[in-house]
Amino acid sequence: MDVHQLFEGLIRRERLALARAITLVESNKAEDRKAATELMIGVDKQLQSNPHQNTGNQLPARWTMAITGPPGAGKSTFIDKLGRQLIDCGHRVAVLAIDPSSARSGGSILGDKTRMQDLSTRDEAFIRPSPSGATHGGTNAATKEAIDLCLAAGYDTVLVETVGVGQNEIAVSDLVDWTLLLLMGRSGDDLQGIKRGIVEAADMVLVNKADGEGYESALETQRYYQTALSLFPPHALPGWKVPCLAISAVQEVGWESFWSAIKDLQALPQLANWVHHKRANQRVFSFYRMLNQALLEYWSSLHSKSTHADLESALRSGQLSPAQAVSESLRAWGLEDSREKGL
Ligand SMILES: Nc1nc2c(ncn2[C@@H]2O[C@H](COP(=O)(O)OP(=O)(O)OP(=O)(O)O)[C@@H](O)[C@H]2O)c(=O)[nH]1
Ligand SMILES: [Mg+2]
């Protein structure tokens, strides 16, 4: 793998280079991991030295947004329409669709591509379906890297589609500038089991399918979430009140309110500052996440598979406590377990 060549292709905005680079960062093979690290160091340097960040009351020139929501809410349909409108305004749009079902069925990747029919034919768009892999939901371990690769390849807007309701996922809102929660009208008494944490992580809530027979129930759901949101603590961006709007992705209803909310956002004097701090904190978060992963990989590389199996079975049977297992691992590395000092 010639990393230098791949990097050059990426910043020349070659689609194939971007696709190959994402495959590389998603790979678990040891030799790919090395190349991926080298590539990402170059990409980060490039993004840092060329931040293209507007100041003042505009969205930053690079904008990353997660579209989360329950299965079937219309995320892909919404992204198709939003992406097209952004392209018509001169943006280049990348879509990362993290697909929880593809790992299981291998099926719905095709579904996503067909639901983004408009966008997939545009030169200014790049659509990448990725399996969510072992993380059961929101994101995969390489999502942040994939976002940065898209930015380096000249896509100024990156949209990440995810169900965002997995249990062990890396919260997608920790990886992007902005999180949009897309819901649909209530069906019966069930409010889609949306957990409070998911709503709290949203910077904007849209209730989709406000059309035809679903119109009334979409408005009812909108009212419900408007009330719920009004009880939440204030948003971290001064002056921002999380809006909850009813929309129809298919019939293009409610889009004026959506764009007017974006305009309100752009007008907030603290926006650039807030985004700057959020990104700075995300870099620290990324470091800890990668360190965690690297340490785990190092630990795994020290022992054979059968040693892992023995250890796991000792944990399962209660013979070994998790804390004991960690202490022993640290001792095996020649590290004192700092937690023992306090005993
Ligand atoms: N009536 C109506 N149907 C919609 C709307 N948006 C999407 N749909 C339909 O809802 C179904 C699911 O849409 P998708 O865009 O695939 O939803 P999704 O949230 O991406 O679904 P997953 O990726 O499978 O979680 C499709 O049959 C769409 O045609 C809308 O605004 N109104
Ligand atoms: Mg979808």
Side-chain angles (χ1 to χ4, degrees):
M1 168 72 55
D2 186 337
V3 176
H4 182 70
Q5 214 178 348
L6 191 58
F7 179 72
E8 290 297 317
L10 195 69
I11 56 177
R12 276 200 305 269
R13 303 184 166 190
E14 291 168 12
R15 299 172 83 87
L16 187 61
L18 175 56
R20 286 184 54 209
I22 296 179
T23 305
L24 179 70
V25 298
E26 284 176 348
S27 166
N28 287 324
K29 288 191 214 138
E31 68 269 24
D32 287 346
R33 297 301 300 270
K34 234 178 125 217
T37 302
E38 206 182 313
L39 178 68
M40 291 315 300
I41 291 171
V43 162
D44 190 63
K45 241 186 220 156
Q46 208 254 347
L47 292 177
Q48 292 297 314
S49 64
N50 185 18
H52 284 304
Q53 195 158 322
N54 296 339
T55 48
N57 57 359
Q58 288 182 27
L59 287 183
R62 287 187 188 132
W63 187 245
T64 59
M65 179 155 86
I67 289 87
T68 68
K75 299 178 294 295
S76 302
T77 311
F78 173 78
I79 289 172
D80 193 41
K81 295 283 169 2
L82 174 66
R84 199 195 56 210
Q85 294 180 41
L86 287 166
I87 287 172
D88 290 344
C89 297
H91 293 279
R92 284 165 48 85
V93 178
V95 180
L96 301 171
I98 317 290
D99 189 334
S101 52
S102 61
R104 277 200 311 270
S105 65
S108 63
I109 279 180
L110 188 64
D112 266 338
K113 279 231 158 163
T114 50
R115 276 168 217 154
M116 294 187 206
Q117 246 163 2
D118 259 5
L119 209 53
S120 55
T121 58
R122 302 291 292 255
D123 281 344
E124 304 88 338
F126 175 87
I127 301 177
R128 169 75 177 212
S130 293
S132 60
T135 55
H136 306 299
T139 54
N140 67 37
T143 303
K144 178 64 179 150
E145 284 78 4
I147 292 172
D148 285 351
L149 288 168
C150 292
L151 293 171
Y155 292 94
D156 57 76
T157 311
V158 182
L159 307 176
V160 183
E161 174 180 342
T162 152
V163 289
V165 289
Q167 288 171 335
N168 306 320
E169 85 244 31
I170 300 156
V172 71
S173 50
D174 287 329
L175 308 178
V176 293
D177 297 328
W178 198 248
T179 300
L180 196 153
L181 173 63
L182 192 77
L183 305 169
M184 54 188 163
R186 60 183 278 173
S187 44
D189 286 336
D190 153 49
L191 277 155
Q192 302 163 42
I194 307 296
K195 294 197 194 95
R196 185 189 162 98
I198 305 225
V199 182
E200 268 177 338
D203 300 302
M204 195 182 252
V205 178
L206 300 182
V207 183
N208 191 34
K209 306 196 186 184
D211 52 44
E213 285 181 357
Y215 185 71
E216 283 304 325
S217 76
L219 293 196
E220 198 182 328
T221 303
Q222 180 196 16
R223 281 192 294 272
Y224 174 87
Y225 280 98
Q226 268 169 345
T227 309
L229 286 165
S230 69
L231 302 173
F232 284 1
H235 194 273
L237 168 60
W240 182 248
K241 258 188 85 204
V242 176
C244 177
L245 311 171
I247 198 165
S248 165
V250 166
Q251 295 197 9
E252 305 198 15
V253 170
W255 284 85
E256 302 91 57
S257 321
F258 171 74
W259 286 114
S260 132
I262 296 287
K263 239 185 177 163
D264 292 344
L265 174 69
Q266 286 171 321
L268 290 177
Q270 289 290 325
L271 178 65
N273 222 354
W274 178 78
V275 171
H276 178 79
H277 281 292
K278 186 164 186 182
R279 290 178 184 174
N281 288 335
Q282 286 173 347
R283 290 174 70 76
V284 176
F285 171 80
S286 276
F287 160 72
Y288 284 116
R289 180 172 55 80
M290 285 176 182
L291 182 66
N292 245 323
Q293 196 181 343
L295 287 175
L296 195 59
E297 274 165 14
Y298 175 63
W299 180 85
S300 299
S301 72
L302 294 177
H303 309 290
S304 67
K305 273 211 170 110
S306 65
T307 315
H308 290 169
D310 289 348
L311 179 81
E312 287 181 12
S313 94
L315 284 163
R316 276 197 195 95
S317 69
Q319 236 179 309
L320 189 66
S321 79
Q324 218 177 339
V326 172
S327 276
E328 283 174 20
S329 295
L330 289 176
R331 229 174 276 128
W333 285 352
L335 299 173
E336 189 192 355
D337 187 346
S338 60
R339 290 166 304 177
E340 285 173 4
K341 282 188 206 155
L343 292 177

